[in-house]
Amino acid sequence: NAGVTQTPKFQVLKTGQSMTLQCAQDMNHNSMYWYRQDPGMGLRLIYYSASEGTTDKGEVPNGYNVSRLNKREFSLRLESAAPSQTSVYFCASMTGNQPQHFGDGTRLSIL
Amino acid sequence: EDKVVQSPLSLVVHEGDTVTLNCSYEVTNFRSLLWYKQEKKAPTFLFMLTSSGIEKKSGRLSSILDKKELFSILNITATQTGDSAIYLCAVERTSGTYKYIFGTGTRLKVLA
């Protein structure tokens, strides 16, 4: 009964490095989301995928790319990490009008 | 611009106290308002509210929506240390660039 699984849980990068955050859900949900959470800012949407094969920008997409690999998996890529991207990243999934289910987050620090 | 505002930003109470958390919104194409509890990791769902004046209740937690005045409250009675968390409010829209707008959250700390 995993729900939404994110990997890795923690990561430290140097400025300019690239990395991919992985997200997988086992609930057969159509929609998947990537958020970042910063102190005092709440959750802000980076990208979302309403269904397999589609992706759209959210509120703060600059510096990120996404791939909806299949119905289960939605990855977030930082091509050239910047200190401003230090944050906690959450993946979520949902279907229909049900509430979103969240993963446990990835804490990312960029030096 | 659509926005969701939560108050207070943080709150410290003692066990047994009752707390009221507020969420006001200015959102076009409103569909529903959701409350989540976030402890150390993933936000977990508490309530979804779509109709005014109908209280949703789960144990010591309850919530109500006022669509005329554009706000919701989350009440927690007889607080326990396990209620310490960030409480997030989100508004779901029927259309728009993306569906959910989150508030900044209220950080609640319950002292023994």
Side-chain angles (χ1 to χ4, degrees), chain B residues 17-103:
Chain B
D17 288 349
T18 293
V19 298
T20 298
L21 309 184
N22 302 291
C23 176
S24 63
Y25 61 92
E26 295 177 26
V27 173
T28 54
N29 305 314
F30 176 92
R31 180 195 292 275
S32 66
L33 185 145
L34 300 93
W35 285 97
Y36 286 86
K37 177 182 182 182
Q38 185 180 20
E39 295 176 85
K40 294 197 182 301
K41 295 183 178 179
T44 54
F45 171 73
L46 294 175
F47 298 111
M48 175 185 280
L49 305 160
T50 56
S51 301
S52 271
I54 299 174
E55 185 182 53
K56 295 246 177 146
K57 198 169 170 66
S58 176
R60 296 175 294 101
L61 278 65
S62 64
S63 184
I64 197 162
L65 174 67
D66 185 328
K67 292 170 74 173
K68 182 179 177 185
E69 300 297 329
L70 307 182
F71 77 93
S72 173
I73 60 172
L74 175 68
N75 278 321
I76 309 174
T77 59
T79 52
Q80 302 171 357
T81 55
D83 295 325
S84 296
I86 296 173
Y87 290 84
L88 297 168
C89 172
V91 171
E92 181 190 12
R93 306 188 295 186
T94 57
S95 63
T97 306
Y98 41 92
K99 289 188 75 174
Y100 287 87
I101 301 176
F102 280 83

Side-chain angles (χ1 to χ4, degrees), chain A residues 4-79:
Chain A
V4 180
T5 303
Q6 291 184 234
T7 56
K9 295 190 186 325
F10 303 95
Q11 185 70 48
V12 179
L13 293 178
K14 294 181 180 178
T15 297
Q17 287 185 316
S18 62
M19 81 160 294
T20 299
L21 308 186
Q22 306 287 352
C23 175
Q25 51 93 7
D26 62 2
M27 296 173 284
N28 202 36
H29 285 172
N30 290 322
S31 303
M32 297 186 74
Y33 303 78
W34 276 106
Y35 292 91
R36 60 178 289 173
Q37 186 176 35
D38 302 295
M41 301 290 287
L43 285 164
R44 292 184 293 168
L45 183 66
I46 305 170
Y47 271 93
Y48 68 103
S49 171
S51 62
E52 186 179 356
T54 69
T55 61
D56 286 287
K57 295 178 180 179
E59 182 183 1
V60 288
N62 291 343
Y64 305 96
N65 285 301
V66 291
S67 295
R68 182 76 182 266
L69 304 170
N70 47 55
K71 192 170 187 178
R72 289 187 64 247
E73 298 173 289
F74 189 37
S75 63
L76 178 72
R77 182 160 178 84
L78 286 70
E79 291 291 352

